[in-house]
Amino acid sequence: MSSHVEENYLKAIYKLTERNKDGAYTNDIAYELNIKPATVTEAIKKLGEKGLIHYEKYKAVTLTELGKQIAIKTIRKHRLWEVFLVEKLGFKWDEIHPMAEELEHIGFEELTERLAQFLGNPEFDPHGDPIPDRDGNFAKTKSIKLTGVSLNGTAVMTGIENHTTSFLQHLDKIGIKLGISITVKEIVDFDKSMLISVNGEKEVYLSQEIASNILCK
Amino acid sequence: MSSHVEENYLKAIYKLTERNKDGAYTNDIAYELNIKPATVTEAIKKLGEKGLIHYEKYKAVTLTELGKQIAIKTIRKHRLWEVFLVEKLGFKWDEIHPMAEELEHIGFEELTERLAQFLGNPEFDPHGDPIPDRDGNFAKTKSIKLTGVSLNGTAVMTGIENHTTSFLQHLDKIGIKLGISITVKEIVDFDKSMLISVNGEKEVYLSQEIASNILCK
DNA sequence: TTTAATTTTTAGGTTTGCCTAAAAATATTT
DNA sequence: AAATATTTTTAGGCAAACCTAAAAATTAAA
Ligand SMILES: [Mn+2]
Ligand SMILES: [Mn+2]
Ligand SMILES: [Mn+2]
Ligand SMILES: [Mn+2]
């Protein structure tokens, strides 16, 4: 299996296992990678033989230590390139994912480490997601959803739970980005939407759906 | 055919056609890409059907206008990434080729153009090779081999004809790099090796083999 | 605890990009 | 102009990564 394809499977399994401790299910992996379940069954059997995942028929799969390391290294590369694209090339946070999705498969350890150094060893990517260090350790980040901030409370935006282009672009449009200070001015009883003030300046209403995808500390 | 593979064929054909105006021969393409001639025959048939090359059985192939454009774009990407690796990440000129060989296949026009801008729209890569501009035009460079510089003549080093790691490393070791001023102090009658002075400072003997792979103007 | 629904796997195909061995065409020597 | 050597193509195979359709296993609902 080409390392490109392999890395995509491992990354998908990693992501799904974060959400569901049992492991990743065939159907979910297929959905994540936009392929058919039958294809996934084939692939995970091989990944199992290679010692990258724990595979048992009809069970959810989990990563072995080795598989996890590869997944994390791929995530490291992805997020470092995202920082490069935004900080050095001036792309916006909603434009970078497809490019990073390809750059993450360039596999030269030395390149990754020099890139990290060039970028100042960043700990977070442009979406606020932590960048694992060279040993695979993530910076500890215990964030809460904006919906968890109480009335008149203030919090700093540190991340997002949804990475779709439309969500990112919308946040841009209403002036919400990483690092801003958010104060909850009002929580509408009817629909739980909230009025917030951004950096003590402009105020804007957010639906509960939006607020629940904004992470703060 | 995946664009990755396709670009490699077109680049190889471009390179061979530069050397031999007739076009590229099956065997030579195979050698260039480290694959077998039978595989090449298959591939060039398909590239012909796609309108990327002119293919006729038993004849050398040449690029169509479209094929040439793709080849040149790939070369542009390759050389821009090489500049990035050397100028920004501090790699040496003998370390970058394998990485550029992968980076060149990342296919986002906007990425390429922003990278070029970030690097200051360089006209030459770290090996002295010209970087085509976004329209595919190469900077005019009529260089001569160091062996063509006459006794007591002086020239500036602008490029190399051989890109092997061992050649690059050797030049490094004896202090020969792009931009230096070379004066021919002596041409040994016996073997045509030459004694040169580098920037009017240290002197060193070069075999004819080495001298013939150094380009100057 | 059957029955029904969902999920996963198996079986059988396709395309791509590579291979080896052998045949055919072309080029080079005698 | 033959004979020989070289190059290119054809023929037949293989593994990877995908697919659809159908069977089998598991899970959820009656
Ligand atoms: Mn991303
Ligand atoms: Mn990200
Ligand atoms: Mn190169
Ligand atoms: Mn180069």
Side-chain angles (χ1 to χ4, degrees):
Chain A
M1 197 175 297
S2 87
S3 92
H4 184 106
V5 172
E6 198 167 281
E7 287 176 343
N8 282 338
Y9 276 100
L10 297 175
K11 209 161 53 108
I13 294 166
Y14 182 89
K15 186 175 170 186
L16 291 166
T17 308
E18 266 191 324
R19 280 215 286 269
N20 181 341
K21 302 234 359 173
D22 295 355
Y25 290 94
T26 302
N27 265 354
D28 298 333
I29 297 170
Y31 180 80
E32 198 70 31
L33 298 176
N34 269 294
I35 55 180
K36 294 291 178 284
T39 305
V40 171
T41 300
E42 259 184 20
I44 59 183
K45 235 186 287 185
K46 284 184 200 148
L47 291 172
E49 281 158 18
K50 275 203 184 180
L52 297 172
I53 65 174
H54 300 289
Y55 173 66
E56 277 181 272
K57 263 190 186 176
Y58 298 104
K59 292 246 181 77
V61 301
T62 53
L63 297 172
T64 61
E65 212 27 68
L66 177 56
K68 195 167 161 185
Q69 269 176 37
I70 296 174
I72 290 175
K73 272 191 179 149
T74 308
I75 291 168
R76 173 167 167 79
K77 288 183 282 177
H78 182 106
R79 293 180 181 169
L80 284 170
W81 281 114
E82 285 193 340
V83 173
F84 170 74
L85 293 170
V86 168
E87 299 292 317
K88 302 297 181 181
L89 299 194
F91 281 102
K92 288 184 288 173
W93 72 346
D94 59 299
E95 302 174 313
I96 57 183
H97 188 73
M99 292 179 264
E101 208 55 42
E102 299 209 5
L103 288 161
E104 72 185 0
H105 301 296
I106 307 278
F108 298 84
E109 195 100 21
E110 186 68 14
L111 170 56
T112 308
E113 295 319 315
R114 291 214 189 199
L115 176 64
Q117 192 172 27
F118 176 60
L119 299 171
N121 294 302
E123 298 202 326
F124 298 94
D125 83 2
H127 306 107
D129 295 314
I131 301 174
D133 68 20
R134 75 159 82 216
D135 302 316
N137 302 115
F138 288 85
K140 278 266 168 359
T141 68
K142 40 174 189 281
S143 56
I144 54 165
K145 294 185 175 184
L146 178 53
T147 44
V149 177
S150 47
L151 189 58
N152 295 314
T154 291
V156 174
M157 178 171 174
T158 58
I160 49 181
E161 283 243 294
N162 178 301
H163 289 67
T164 60
T165 310
S166 59
F167 182 60
L168 295 173
Q169 286 178 350
H170 181 65
L171 291 186
D172 262 358
K173 202 173 63 188
I174 61 180
I176 291 182
K177 51 171 170 275
L178 297 183
I180 60 171
S181 168
I182 297 176
T183 303
V184 179
K185 293 292 195 181
E186 179 192 344
I187 299 178
V188 179
D189 205 48
F190 175 65
D191 67 346
K192 301 290 186 257
S193 66
M194 41 171 62
L195 178 66
I196 62 165
S197 91
V198 175
N199 286 329
E201 296 157 19
K202 66 174 163 259
E203 300 195 337
V204 62
Y205 277 104
L206 301 180
S207 73
Q208 195 194 19
E209 181 62 18
I210 288 179
S212 70
N213 279 302
I214 294 175
L215 299 175
C216 304
K217 79 151 186 274
Chain B
M1 199 175 296
S2 88
S3 91
H4 184 107
V5 172
E6 198 167 280
E7 286 176 343
N8 283 338
Y9 276 101
L10 296 175
K11 210 161 54 110
I13 294 166
Y14 181 89
K15 186 175 171 185
L16 291 166
T17 308
E18 266 191 324
R19 280 214 288 267
N20 181 341
K21 302 243 342 177
D22 295 355
Y25 291 94
T26 304
N27 266 354
D28 298 333
I29 298 170
Y31 180 80
E32 198 70 31
L33 298 177
N34 270 293
I35 55 180
K36 295 291 178 286
T39 305
V40 172
T41 300
E42 259 184 18
I44 60 183
K45 234 186 288 184
K46 283 184 201 150
L47 291 171
E49 282 159 17
K50 274 203 185 181
L52 297 171
I53 65 175
H54 301 287
Y55 172 66
E56 277 180 273
K57 263 191 186 177
Y58 299 104
K59 293 247 181 77
V61 302
T62 52
L63 296 173
T64 61
E65 213 27 68
L66 177 57
K68 196 168 163 184
Q69 270 176 36
I70 295 174
I72 291 175
K73 272 190 181 152
T74 308
I75 291 168
R76 172 167 167 79
K77 287 183 281 176
H78 183 105
R79 293 181 181 168
L80 284 171
W81 281 115
E82 285 192 341
V83 173
F84 171 72
L85 293 170
V86 168
E87 299 292 317
K88 303 296 182 182
L89 300 194
F91 281 102
K92 288 185 288 176
W93 71 347
D94 60 297
E95 302 174 314
I96 58 182
H97 188 73
M99 291 179 266
E101 208 55 43
E102 300 210 5
L103 287 162
E104 72 185 1
H105 301 297
I106 306 277
F108 298 85
E109 195 102 19
E110 185 69 14
L111 170 57
T112 307
E113 295 319 315
R114 291 213 188 199
L115 176 65
Q117 191 172 27
F118 176 60
L119 298 171
N121 294 302
E123 297 202 328
F124 298 94
D125 84 1
H127 306 109
D129 295 314
I131 300 174
D133 67 19
R134 74 158 84 215
D135 301 317
N137 302 115
F138 287 86
K140 278 266 169 356
T141 69
K142 38 171 188 281
S143 55
I144 56 165
K145 293 184 177 185
L146 178 53
T147 45
V149 177
S150 46
L151 189 58
N152 295 315
T154 291
V156 174
M157 177 171 174
T158 58
I160 50 180
E161 282 243 294
N162 178 301
H163 290 67
T164 60
T165 310
S166 59
F167 182 59
L168 295 173
Q169 286 177 351
H170 182 64
L171 291 186
D172 261 359
K173 202 173 65 189
I174 61 181
I176 291 182
K177 51 172 172 274
L178 297 183
I180 60 169
S181 167
I182 297 176
T183 303
V184 179
K185 294 292 196 182
E186 179 192 346
I187 298 179
V188 179
D189 205 47
F190 175 66
D191 67 346
K192 303 288 186 257
S193 66
M194 40 170 63
L195 178 65
I196 63 165
S197 90
V198 174
N199 286 330
E201 297 158 18
K202 66 173 163 261
E203 301 195 336
V204 62
Y205 277 105
L206 301 180
S207 72
Q208 195 195 19
E209 180 62 18
I210 287 178
S212 70
N213 279 302
I214 293 175
L215 299 175
C216 303
K217 77 150 186 274

